Amino acid sequence: MKERIKEVLATVLKREVDDATSQDNCPEWDSLHHLNMIVEMEMAFDISFEPEEMGQMKSVADIERLVKQKLGQA
């Protein structure tokens, strides 16, 4: 799952992504790319995020935690 998340992020951000990638250390991760990333994650995993969850998605680890919750794997 983490690899798929990183693939989606890499596609949206048009850069390499690793486990440490976050909004704090990735200048490409701006508000527009954040929204695109959310849409792509929803399509990739067939899930839907609530607005408050979208604000929590600030790193690969945050995204993985939320996706796992949505898929009932947390």
Side-chain angles (χ1 to χ4, degrees):
M1 172 184 305
K2 185 184 285 187
E3 290 307 311
R4 181 68 182 124
I5 289 169
K6 291 192 295 189
E7 287 172 13
V8 171
L9 266 176
T11 300
V12 171
L13 299 174
K14 296 180 175 48
R15 64 167 284 163
E16 285 190 34
V17 171
D18 60 28
D19 290 352
T21 302
S22 72
Q23 283 182 325
D24 294 334
N25 62 21
C26 179
E28 292 86 358
W29 194 331
D30 59 16
S31 57
L32 179 59
H33 285 105
H34 188 77
L35 291 174
N36 289 339
M37 177 270 299
I38 290 166
V39 170
E40 293 296 325
M41 291 293 172
E42 289 179 332
M43 290 191 310
F45 293 99
D46 194 28
I47 55 178
S48 175
F49 294 107
E50 298 298 323
E52 60 272 6
E53 292 170 327
M54 294 174 192
Q56 297 172 13
M57 301 170 79
K58 298 179 180 183
S59 69
V60 171
D62 292 340
I63 296 167
E64 182 181 18
R65 178 181 47 80
L66 286 166
V67 170
K68 282 183 175 179
Q69 285 177 356
K70 291 289 184 182
L71 296 174
Q73 297 177 11

